[in-house]
Amino acid sequence: MAIVQLSAGPQRSVALDGKGAAWGWGAFKTAYPGLQDALPGEICFTDKTEVGHRRYAQPYAQLLNPGAPFRLVADGNTHILGACDTGALLACRPVIAPDHGAAHQTVRAIPGGIRQLATMQTVSLAVLENGSVWSWGFNHQGQLGRPAQPAQNTAAALDGLPAIASLACGSAHALALDRSGRVWSWGANQAGQLGHGTLKSSGLPAQVALPELIIGIAAGDTHSMALDAAGQLWAWGANNHGQTGSAEGAYFTRPVKIQTDFPVRQVGGGLFYTAALSEQGEVFAWGWNGLGQIGLPQRHSSPRAMRITGLPPITHLATGTGHVLASDGLTVFAWGDNRSAACGRPAQDPVVLIPNPIHLA
């Protein structure tokens, strides 16, 4: 089946196929008895040496939305967002029943015509076809991008932004690329990830000074990236593991040019690492390798881009907190943090170094 979108979150993976079926694996709970016999493998993985050790770890892809095709998906910290063909927006819990898919509720007060969905740890956002941005969730670090109380949950539009083409979210900050190729940012800024030249967080969007026309953006946990029209990459924010691609400086408060030996088509980031897709369909990664994100057998960090081997030419890339998803349009591959089976292997294999093919039913 054709894969049209990938989304990787903190502990889960989601793939959307050409028929609108959303498949999820990783930290999902099954809501009916007898599955242990039907689908062998770890359903609840327990490790008392870890905080929050009762994790659900389902390595087998499960259908999240039977009978309700999605156009878009975005995996979040506590739920998975799905925009339906009908115009409805669903917030799906990671609890799956065989006939009904994931338990879900409708997100209200979002106008129709959603173009993109994005999530942070406590905030969800949507870009509409008209270029407006809507946000909802908890606003303790200004992540909503608009004046609101810390516990604000109601969806509302952001003011002061031009028409937006795409969004990218880190742990608690957001980037927005407008239709003129300019980048805006808001939210947490403890490592300079907003790119405004300071370490001061901001609850309102402000433009990032970049010298080139930007065509793509991405955000890691506490760092940010922008791709210009020439295929050149820019980065700012935390650099404690070389995730910006530089061997110098613990953080950058303004964008710096990153030297790559390949033209970049797409870029993504996670916890202290960055992954990029080249124009030739190769995947490279750099930064922290504590969970195998950049594919090295050693757990040391590297600011130098390392090519991920064992992949066909890739067309889709998605980065989670500690794992990476890639697809050639037909098969999904995953590597990195597998403690909750987000790479499609039983959770007894906590780290996956070699890209693992995922079988969708």
Side-chain angles (χ1 to χ4, degrees):
M1 64 185 72
I3 304 299
V4 298
Q5 188 189 351
L6 300 173
S7 183
Q11 299 175 314
R12 291 183 294 272
S13 301
V14 180
L16 183 66
D17 70 26
K19 296 183 178 180
W23 301 87
W25 59 97
F28 285 95
K29 178 182 178 181
T30 49
Y32 59 104
L35 183 68
Q36 189 75 43
D37 298 327
L39 288 174
E42 285 288 316
I43 304 302
C44 181
F45 178 69
T46 300
D47 184 348
K48 294 182 179 180
T49 66
E50 297 186 7
V51 176
H53 62 272
R54 290 188 61 81
R55 294 193 309 271
Y56 287 91
Q58 175 55 268
Y60 299 95
Q62 305 290 293
L63 182 60
L64 306 184
N65 60 333
F70 287 167
R71 291 188 304 107
L72 300 166
V73 292
D75 185 37
N77 194 50
T78 60
H79 59 267
I80 303 98
L81 293 176
C84 298
D85 287 338
T86 60
L89 176 60
L90 304 183
C92 301
R93 295 174 55 216
V95 180
I96 302 173
D99 298 326
H100 307 291
H104 61 268
Q105 63 183 19
T106 301
V107 178
R108 302 188 183 278
I110 300 290
I114 296 175
R115 180 175 181 174
Q116 183 194 357
L117 297 169
T119 63
M120 304 182 216
Q121 281 190 354
T122 63
V123 166
S124 299
L125 302 103
V127 183
L128 305 191
E129 292 292 350
N130 64 7
S132 65
V133 177
W134 289 63
S135 65
W136 63 100
F138 295 96
N139 195 45
H140 58 288
Q141 296 187 76
Q143 304 98 309
L144 288 180
R146 53 185 173 85
Q149 297 298 318
Q152 178 71 33
N153 282 289
T154 305
L158 277 65
D159 294 326
L161 280 173
I164 295 302
S166 65
L167 291 173
C169 290
S171 174
H173 78 288
L175 305 177
L177 175 64
D178 71 28
R179 293 177 180 177
S180 298
R182 297 170 298 181
V183 177
W184 305 75
S185 65
W186 65 90
N189 194 41
Q190 67 270 32
Q193 60 264 46
L194 297 187
H196 299 159
T198 73
L199 296 178
K200 183 180 179 180
S201 298
S202 174
L204 297 175
Q207 188 177 342
V208 181
L210 283 155
E212 305 288 342
L213 176 69
I214 301 302
I215 61 172
I217 52 175
D221 190 65
T222 53
H223 68 292
S224 304
M225 293 146 286
L227 176 63
D228 68 31
Q232 177 65 57
L233 193 61
W234 302 80
W236 59 97
N239 190 47
N240 51 326
H241 289 275
Q243 59 263 48
T244 68
S246 173
E248 300 179 359
Y251 61 90
F252 299 100
T253 62
R254 295 190 186 277
V256 294
K257 184 179 289 189
I258 304 304
Q259 299 299 325
T260 59
D261 296 329
F262 55 92
V264 179
R265 182 196 307 174
Q266 183 187 345
V267 63
L271 180 63
F272 310 143
Y273 80 96
T274 300
L277 177 62
S278 77
E279 289 288 354
Q280 291 74 33
E282 297 176 311
V283 177
F284 295 82
W286 58 94
W288 186 51
N289 192 54
L291 296 167
Q293 303 95 313
I294 69 174
L296 293 175
Q298 306 85 7
R299 293 196 175 186
H300 62 72
S301 303
S302 173
R304 185 169 63 89
M306 311 297 295
R307 187 172 71 87
I308 305 299
T309 59
L311 290 170
I314 294 299
T315 57
H316 299 78
L317 181 70
T319 49
T321 299
H323 72 290
V324 186
L325 302 178
S327 175
D328 60 356
L330 296 174
T331 303
V332 180
F333 300 87
W335 66 94
D337 183 5
N338 191 58
R339 293 174 297 175
S340 294
C343 294
R345 297 287 303 162
Q348 294 95 328
D349 300 331
V351 173
V352 173
L353 294 177
I354 299 173
N356 179 54
I358 309 298
H359 301 286
L360 305 182

